[in-house]
Amino acid sequence: MANDADKAGQVRHRTRSWSDPVRAMTRILGPAEPKPVPAPGFKGRDKIVDCALYLDGVRQPGEWAPEDALHAARAETGDAFVWIGLHEPSLATMAGIAETFELHELAVEDAVHAEQRPKLEQFGEINSLVLRTARYVRHTELTENTEVVETGQVMLFIGPEFVITVRHGDACKLAPVRAGLEQRKELLAQGPWAVAYAIADHVVDLYIDVSDRIEDDLDDLETQVFARQVQGRIQRIYQMKRELVEFKRAVVPLLRPIMQLTESTNRHVPKEIRRFFRDVQDHLIRVAEQVNGYDDLLNSILQARLAQVSVEQNNDMRKIASWAAIFAVETFIAGIYGMNFPDMPEFRWQYGYPAVLTLMLIAAIILYRWFRRSGWL
C-alpha cells in the first residue's frame, strides 16, 4: 500500500508540474502566503462576487471557498462543477486563483488587464474566452462630449470541473445570468460550457440593444445635420463615430471566437451546447452587419455635412463679394470727385454735391436689387 501511495503522489506531482510558472509569478509578487483560499481571511476575498458548486444542474447549499468547492466537485460522482465570479481582481488575487485551478500565467495576465481583444485560447484542457461587453448610455441630447457606449470585459476560464468569470467594468452584470441559469437546470447540467453560452448570449443581447438605440441616435443626428438652426453638427458626427468605433471593436472581433466554438472539430464544447452557440453566432452576425452599415451611414452624413459647409461658405463669399462691389462703385465715384481738379464736370454747380450723393445712392440700389435677384444677397 505504501507503493500505491507513492505512485499516487507521483501522479499528482506530474499533473501539477506545468503550473510551476504560476507559482514562480506568485513568488515574484512577494513572500509565500498561506493557502490562497481559506474562507474568511483570503486576501482578495472581496473580489469574489460569488462561488458556487453545482451538481447535476442544481446549486448546492452553503458558502464555498474556491479550493473547497473544487475538491468537492472532483469528489462527486455526478456532473459537478464550480462557478466562481470575480470583479476586477488584482494580480495577487488572480495568482492565488491560478495556483488553485492551475491556470496558465499568460491567461492570468490577460484577466487582470482589461484591454484585451475578443479571443479564444486553449491551454491544455482549459479554454480562455475573452468577451468585450457593451452598454448603451442614456442621454437626453447628443453633444460633442456625450458618451453613447460604455464598454468593459468579461473573461472566462473554462475547465472540466470549473468555470471562472472575471468581469471588468459595469457594462454587463452577470448576476442575472447566474439567476436565469439556475432556473434552467437541464441546461446548467451540461456543465461549464453552458455557463459560457449563457454569458455569451447575454453579451450579444446587450449588443443588439445598443445597436437598436444607436440607430435611433443616427436618425436624430441625420435630422439635425440638415437643420439650419443647429450649430456644432460636425463635432457631433465625429463624437458619434468615435463611439461607434468603440462599439465595433467589441462586436466584430468576437465573430471568429464564436465561430470556433460552433465548429464540429471542437472537442471541448458539447454537441448540444454548440447548437446554442450557433444561435449566438446568428445574432452576432446581424449586429456586425448593422454596425458596418452604421459606419457607412455616418461617413455619408459626414460627407453631406462637409458639402453643406462648402455651400454655406460659398454663399457667404458671394454675399461678401456683392457688398464689396456695391461699396466699390461708391468708392469709385467718391474718389473721382475727391481729386478737386478745377475743370471737373459740375464742380462749380450749386447742386453738384447733392447730385453726386443721389447718383451714389441710385447706383447702390440698382446693384443691390440686381444681386438680390441673382441670389447673391
Side-chain angles (χ1 to χ4, degrees):
M1 294 186 61
N3 293 335
D4 293 339
D6 293 338
K7 290 180 180 178
Q10 293 174 3
V11 171
R12 285 193 298 270
H13 177 72
R14 285 197 299 270
T15 58
R16 289 181 176 266
S17 61
W18 71 276
S19 64
D20 289 341
V22 177
R23 293 193 179 94
M25 182 180 64
T26 307
R27 288 196 296 270
I28 293 174
L29 292 173
E33 297 179 355
K35 291 192 175 184
V37 191
F42 170 54
K43 184 179 180 180
R45 178 75 177 176
D46 56 328
K47 301 297 182 180
I48 300 179
V49 179
D50 199 353
C51 177
L53 173 66
Y54 296 90
L55 177 61
D56 295 328
V58 179
R59 179 168 182 159
Q60 302 304 296
E63 295 184 2
W64 296 86
E67 190 174 56
D68 297 336
L70 181 61
H71 289 327
R74 289 174 175 172
E76 292 289 347
T77 56
D79 294 328
F81 71 94
V82 182
W83 182 359
I84 300 176
L86 302 171
H87 181 233
E88 299 182 355
S90 64
L91 187 58
T93 301
M94 281 304 303
I97 295 291
E99 185 172 5
T100 301
F101 291 87
E102 302 179 359
L103 306 179
H104 196 278
E105 59 179 322
L106 296 178
V108 171
E109 291 179 1
D110 290 345
V112 174
H113 303 291
E115 299 300 325
Q116 303 295 325
R117 286 174 57 87
K119 59 183 178 179
L120 176 66
E121 294 181 322
Q122 295 181 358
F123 301 94
E125 292 296 317
I126 300 176
N127 288 264
S128 169
L129 176 62
V130 178
L131 305 171
R132 295 291 298 175
T133 59
R135 181 177 68 90
Y136 181 81
V137 180
R138 297 181 180 274
H139 50 272
T140 56
E141 182 182 2
L142 182 65
T143 65
E144 294 81 359
N145 302 312
T146 300
E147 183 181 10
V148 178
V149 180
E150 177 187 354
T151 58
Q153 176 179 299
V154 172
M155 187 170 186
L156 294 86
F157 297 97
I158 308 153
E161 299 106 358
F162 64 86
V163 56
I164 302 172
T165 58
V166 182
R167 178 171 62 90
H168 289 269
D170 295 324
C172 176
K173 301 292 182 66
L174 298 183
V177 179
R178 187 187 290 263
L181 262 181
E182 291 177 354
Q183 300 298 321
R184 304 173 64 184
K185 299 179 181 179
E186 298 81 4
L187 178 60
L188 193 57
Q190 296 289 333
W193 281 105
V195 177
Y197 152 71
I199 293 176
D201 184 60
H202 182 60
V203 169
V204 174
D205 285 344
L206 291 177
Y207 288 170
I208 295 174
D209 178 69
V210 173
S211 178
D212 293 340
R213 295 181 183 276
I214 285 179
E215 184 176 8
D216 296 335
D217 283 340
L218 289 177
D219 291 340
D220 294 339
L221 184 62
E222 191 174 12
T223 302
Q224 293 175 6
V225 161
F226 296 100
R228 302 184 64 87
Q229 293 80 9
V230 181
Q231 302 296 326
R233 291 177 287 254
I234 290 184
Q235 291 84 348
R236 298 179 185 184
I237 298 173
Y238 276 116
Q239 176 64 18
M240 192 67 192
K241 193 167 182 62
R242 283 196 297 266
E243 296 294 314
L244 186 62
V245 167
E246 184 177 359
F247 182 46
K248 189 174 182 179
R249 288 174 180 170
V251 174
V252 176
L254 186 58
L255 286 170
R256 182 173 179 81
I258 296 297
M259 187 178 300
Q260 292 174 341
L261 293 175
T262 60
E263 293 175 352
S264 58
T265 56
N266 193 323
R267 62 183 180 86
H268 295 278
V269 184
K271 183 178 179 180
E272 185 65 25
I273 299 300
R274 285 203 298 267
R275 295 194 182 99
F276 286 101
F277 273 117
R278 290 191 188 98
D279 180 67
V280 175
Q281 183 182 16
D282 292 340
H283 294 166
L284 184 61
I285 291 174
R286 170 198 160 191
V287 176
E289 291 175 349
Q290 286 180 332
V291 170
N292 290 329
Y294 296 157
D295 196 17
D296 294 339
L297 178 59
L298 266 178
N299 289 333
S300 300
I301 293 175
L302 180 60
Q303 293 299 323
R305 179 54 192 153
L306 291 176
Q308 191 179 36
V309 169
S310 298
V311 171
E312 292 175 356
Q313 289 177 344
N314 289 335
N315 290 335
D316 293 339
M317 291 300 298
R318 286 195 292 184
K319 290 179 181 179
I320 294 173
S322 300
W323 286 111
I326 293 173
F327 283 103
V329 172
E330 310 298 303
T331 304
F332 172 76
I333 297 175
I336 291 295
Y337 278 89
M339 294 180 182
N340 294 325
F341 289 110
D343 297 329
M344 290 183 65
E346 313 300 338
F347 185 74
R348 300 183 182 279
W349 184 32
Q350 179 180 1
Y351 302 104
Y353 179 69
V356 170
L357 291 180
T358 303
L359 176 64
M360 294 171 64
L361 179 61
I362 293 174
I365 292 175
I366 293 174
L367 288 174
Y368 176 81
R369 296 192 62 178
W370 182 58
F371 285 130
R372 184 82 175 179
R373 187 178 303 171
S374 62
W376 283 46
L377 286 176

